[in-house]
Amino acid sequence: MANRVAATYSGNSLSGGIHTINFTAPRAGARLILLVSAWNALPTPNGWEQDYYTNGFNHLYAFSKIATGSETSVRLAMDEVRLHAVIHERDDCPEFAFSAGGTSITSSVTTSASRPSAIKTGRVFGWTNSPGGSASATSWNLSLARHFAPDAASSSSAFAHGPMPAGTDLTYTVSGFTPRSDAATVVAVVGYGTTDAVAPTSPGNLRTTSVSGTAITIEWDAASDNVGVAGYGIYRDGSKQGADQTSLSHTFSGLTPGQSYVLGVDATDMAGNRSARATLSVTAEVDVTPPTVPGQLRLVAATHNSLSVAWDPSTDNTAVAGYGVYVDGVRQGPDQGATSFVVTRLARDTAYLVEVDAADAMNNRSAKASLVATTAAGADPSAPQGLTAAAGSEQITLAWRPAEAGAAPIARYEVLLDGVRIAATTALGYVVEDLDAGAAYEVAVRAVDRTEVRGPSATVSVTVPASEWVPVASPVYRLGSWVGNARDRDGVTWAVAEEDGWSSSPQTRSLGADSDASDGGFSGPGRYGPRVITLSGTATAPSRAAMLAAQERLTGRLSPRDAGVLRVAEAHLTRQARVRLEDQVEITDRGSTAFEWTITLKAGDPRRYKVRSLYAEAVFAPAQTQGSTTITLDGDYPDIPARLRLVGPVKDPVIRLDPLGLEIRAKTGTVLPDARYALTIDLATRAVWAIVPPEVWPEPRPARGTLAVYPARFWLQPGVNTLTLSGGLVAGQEDASPRLVVETTDAWI
């Protein structure tokens, strides 16, 4: 039976003077009952009948119709947002029985109705509109239960419904609202029911037509009724299985072999009268016989990164449901019906153990057929040619010529700094930034081909030029070209006498309730509020002119509208924060060549970040559709943002963070066709961008609609973070692996 509240509506979707109420399609033949509480009068909606109308200060309507089964919305024409409505779908209300209404300026309204004696069963609906206060605390008598109580300015409504009570003289009272003294509250009650109290006969000759280990099919003879049978209810061990059905058979699936079940059927009519239940006890069969071992497992073809195998079909006492394929003990996806398989994304010139077993519907599995097969040999890519490095101020600019491809095309180049991979690029150049002045580095570049094979590295040693300032104390503070606790290139010594807000924890901020629980988001930016940093000290110049020039440089260093980076170099660690000027720079002369100064800065993000970020990649493991990468963070801030870049080819990708178990999941059907397509997900800002070939779209474009849950967000945490990329293969790209690139930066309180 389709007895439900199909829709509730509070007037907030007005467009062109029309309120549109949407709902899922009803069962054909059911009665749709539309109850409306409105500020203004409104006409009867198209295709509906007005069963009742009353008014006080505001208006109450009851409309109804017999559903065709295709209705999914109703339009109400009223150029006013104060409209509330409820739509009921009922199978037990074929006839309009009675109506009543009343008004009052007190906190309760009473109205009386007469129930026709011919009505045997049914449903009563009550609703009210109070022009003031709130109707959310209203209560009804005679088993009417309030279920929807929306409020709006000068129009507060409450809707209730309940069973048709016994007796013919019915007095309904609703109380609990606070109306305006000059405007009457109005209440309406309507009843719908049926004169049919005769139940159908019980379904006859209940019997089984098919019994297996996991499914049982039953049939029965049609029941009869004085008006007409509307459908049949299906029961398993006394529990109703879904909605009523009209057919005379049903299959119970997902059963346990060897377990006994009590299966039942009853009949119902349009009035909701149900017959006695017919039942029988049935035991699901037990199948413990596995299929035979797949025969003649053989190698069909081998390339440098794939193996094609085939086998002869197995047999079973019932039926073979599918075959499982394993490579070095790792199962290759779900069972398949075909008798051949291609294992992709393998290492070249490598031996693999390939196994195949057969399974039936009971998951009885055969022993495994096995063979050892070796992929073809192939050349690795060469080292990049002509690597050059130009050292600049705290950076190194690299350039190189292409590497020679081996067995597969070159996909990208990786950049390593002192043996640690810091970046990957498809360009023939890269700038390594945030280096220490005067330090020597070993920089390397290597090619990676389409099958994830890495060639030898081209390596250069580079020394970064020394800085133009000399430290005089620790820590050293840098804001652009200004340096505190140092002597700059103009001979001015900047001594930091006091610091507040950098080395201490920022003020705590209470978060609201957690939100976006399905993907780990939170309602606020963190556990701490913005960080305010105050630096003060003295500057001593070699001359009066140098002092005045130093003051001018300091006051022009950062305007209130500009953002800058404050970098603090301590003995063991250098950290930084993005800041803006919070107040005017204070300068007080102390003689002809010295002055005192104070700088107040504000960092909206309270985290103090390490200068150089961490880089990691996850690619699909050989013969698998997932891959993981682990990042260990040494910072102590509870929540550390990251930037993710997902590079194709992959379909329906999922990014999972362990040990928290949070996921970013793409919508079903999302496909990145090849390595030219990528998604960038910034976990700090929740921005999602799509990168596609320039002939498709020349610039990155917003792509949050590709995610199943948005805003997608989780934080990395201090300690070990494992990110796993999983998804499906893309046809024609089976030899390529998608990549999840993770870039994050250690952060401290």
Side-chain angles (χ1 to χ4, degrees):
M1 295 176 62
N3 290 330
R4 61 172 181 135
V5 176
T8 59
Y9 180 82
S10 181
N12 56 7
S13 300
L14 182 65
S15 177
I18 299 294
H19 293 267
T20 300
I21 306 175
N22 299 304
F23 52 94
T24 57
R27 190 187 67 81
R31 180 177 289 275
L32 294 177
I33 301 169
L34 170 60
L35 309 176
V36 180
S37 169
W39 175 262
N40 291 333
L42 72 157
T44 301
N46 186 34
W48 295 69
E49 294 184 1
Q50 180 177 299
D51 294 332
Y52 184 65
Y53 165 74
T54 187
N55 71 308
F57 190 79
N58 296 330
H59 306 260
L60 301 181
Y61 293 88
F63 305 105
S64 72
K65 67 178 296 188
I66 302 301
T68 65
S70 62
E71 297 91 344
T72 57
S73 66
V74 61
R75 292 159 56 88
L76 301 176
M78 188 184 80
D79 194 8
E80 165 64 52
V81 296
R82 286 171 285 191
L83 182 147
H84 307 135
V86 172
I87 299 177
H88 293 268
E89 178 188 348
R90 305 294 303 187
D91 276 346
D92 57 356
C93 295
E95 303 170 45
F96 179 73
F98 64 82
S99 62
T103 61
S104 174
I105 60 172
T106 66
S107 61
S108 65
V109 182
T110 297
T111 185
S112 297
S114 295
R115 167 184 168 176
S117 58
I119 296 295
K120 303 300 182 185
T121 62
R123 199 77 178 165
V124 178
F125 306 88
W127 69 114
T128 181
N129 188 301
S130 177
S134 172
S136 61
T138 53
S139 61
W140 299 70
N141 65 340
L142 296 184
S143 299
L144 287 186
R146 185 186 75 249
H147 67 95
F148 183 51
D151 292 341
S154 300
S155 182
S156 300
S157 305
F159 296 80
H161 65 98
M164 181 83 71
T168 57
D169 294 327
L170 307 175
T171 300
Y172 285 92
T173 300
V174 58
S175 57
F177 43 75
T178 307
R180 283 168 36 188
S181 60
D182 61 342
T185 294
V186 59
V187 64
V189 177
V190 294
Y192 296 83
T194 178
T195 58
D196 179 13
V198 179
T201 63
S202 179
N205 191 23
L206 180 61
R207 57 201 181 271
T208 61
T209 59
S210 175
V211 179
S212 71
T214 58
I216 298 174
T217 300
I218 59 173
E219 291 184 355
W220 59 90
D221 296 339
S224 60
D225 185 68
N226 63 321
V227 176
V229 175
Y232 298 91
I234 310 299
Y235 303 83
R236 191 182 85 180
D237 292 337
S239 177
K240 195 167 187 294
Q241 306 296 292
D244 291 337
Q245 65 176 55
T246 57
S247 63
L248 300 177
S249 66
H250 182 81
T251 298
F252 298 87
S253 58
L255 306 182
T256 301
Q259 183 169 326
S260 295
Y261 298 91
V262 177
L263 310 179
V265 181
D266 65 10
T268 183
D269 60 18
M270 292 292 293
N273 302 304
R274 304 198 78 89
S275 74
R277 192 178 303 170
T279 62
L280 78 165
S281 181
V282 187
T283 300
E285 290 183 348
V286 178
D287 177 11
V288 294
T289 304
T292 61
V293 178
Q296 299 294 318
L297 178 60
R298 54 200 178 271
L299 178 66
V300 176
T303 70
H304 62 276
N305 66 342
S306 69
L307 296 171
S308 298
V309 296
W311 57 91
D312 295 340
S314 298
T315 59
D316 187 64
N317 63 322
T318 57
V320 175
Y323 299 92
V325 181
Y326 309 80
V327 176
D328 286 348
V330 178
R331 186 168 178 172
Q332 303 299 291
D335 287 346
Q336 62 169 45
T339 57
S340 63
F341 190 82
V342 179
V343 188
T344 59
R345 301 185 322 284
L346 301 177
R348 65 191 59 167
D349 195 21
T350 304
Y352 292 92
L353 173 64
V354 181
E355 299 171 293
V356 178
D357 64 7
D360 59 20
M362 296 306 302
N363 201 34
N364 297 307
R365 307 198 75 88
S366 73
K368 294 176 180 175
S370 64
L371 66 82
V372 175
T374 302
T375 53
D380 294 343
S382 72
Q385 304 297 305
L387 176 63
T388 62
S393 176
E394 299 182 358
Q395 67 179 29
I396 299 172
T397 301
L398 302 173
W400 59 89
R401 297 192 303 276
E404 295 180 2
I410 302 298
R412 63 188 182 279
Y413 296 91
E414 293 180 338
V415 180
L416 296 85
L417 184 67
D418 289 338
V420 178
R421 181 176 55 183
I422 61 170
T425 178
T426 57
L428 297 176
Y430 188 79
V431 179
V432 184
E433 298 180 307
D434 296 323
L435 301 176
D436 295 330
Y441 295 93
E442 182 179 85
V443 186
V445 179
R446 66 189 178 196
V448 184
D449 71 17
R450 180 183 171 92
T451 61
E452 293 300 312
V453 172
R454 288 161 173 80
S457 298
T459 305
V460 293
S461 296
V462 186
T463 299
V464 177
S467 61
E468 296 181 341
W469 46 267
V470 178
V472 297
S474 180
V476 174
Y477 301 86
R478 295 177 55 191
L479 182 63
S481 59
W482 175 83
V483 186
N485 279 342
R487 183 178 300 108
D488 66 19
R489 64 181 180 181
D490 297 308
V492 179
T493 300
W494 299 85
V496 179
E498 294 185 9
E499 168 269 309
D500 181 59
W502 174 261
S503 57
S504 59
S505 297
Q507 184 176 0
T508 59
R509 167 184 289 175
S510 298
L511 289 176
D514 289 353
S515 62
D516 301 329
S518 59
D519 63 356
F522 298 94
S523 59
R527 297 181 182 179
Y528 300 91
R531 180 184 294 273
V532 177
I533 305 161
T534 302
L535 302 176
S536 60
T538 60
T540 304
S543 65
R544 176 69 177 176
M547 183 196 79
L548 295 176
Q551 291 178 349
E552 184 176 350
R553 289 198 305 274
L554 180 61
T555 56
R557 185 66 57 212
L558 192 68
S559 74
R561 291 179 296 179
D562 295 334
V565 174
L566 174 65
R567 183 175 295 181
V568 181
E570 301 168 88
H572 64 291
L573 184 66
T574 300
R575 293 177 287 191
Q576 64 185 24
R578 195 165 183 80
V579 297
R580 292 181 184 274
L581 193 64
E582 177 73 354
D583 203 349
Q584 290 184 344
V585 177
E586 298 180 11
I587 293 178
T588 304
D589 286 349
R590 288 292 181 262
S592 61
T593 60
F595 61 91
E596 295 180 352
W597 52 267
T598 299
I599 305 173
T600 303
L601 306 168
K602 182 176 182 180
D605 181 349
R607 302 172 186 84
R608 296 176 298 169
Y609 290 98
K610 192 174 183 179
V611 172
R612 190 171 302 141
S613 62
L614 300 175
Y615 179 97
E617 290 184 359
V619 298
F620 280 8
Q624 294 190 45
T625 53
Q626 71 173 34
S628 296
T629 187
T630 298
I631 288 182
T632 301
L633 296 172
D634 297 326
D636 61 4
Y637 200 92
D639 306 313
I640 302 176
R643 190 170 183 266
L644 310 179
R645 186 167 73 256
L646 175 60
V647 183
V650 66
K651 64 181 180 180
D652 299 333
V654 177
I655 302 170
R656 179 181 175 88
L657 172 65
D658 286 323
L660 299 182
L662 303 173
E663 290 184 346
I664 298 175
R665 182 179 296 270
K667 287 181 178 177
T668 301
T670 299
V671 177
L672 301 179
D674 55 49
R676 300 175 301 163
Y677 292 79
L679 288 177
T680 297
I681 305 171
D682 191 325
L683 299 181
T685 63
R686 302 193 182 196
V688 182
W689 295 90
I691 295 91
V692 300
E695 65 269 18
V696 176
W697 194 263
E699 299 175 349
R701 57 194 306 181
R704 63 183 184 182
T706 61
L707 302 184
V709 177
Y710 189 83
R713 190 173 192 173
F714 51 59
W715 297 106
L716 303 187
Q717 308 214 333
V720 177
N721 297 265
T722 300
L723 291 102
T724 300
L725 169 65
S726 60
L729 303 179
V730 176
Q733 297 285 322
E734 291 86 354
D735 63 339
S737 289
R739 285 189 302 138
L740 174 64
V741 177
V742 184
E743 295 175 292
T744 186
T745 307
D746 259 314
W748 287 262
I749 295 173

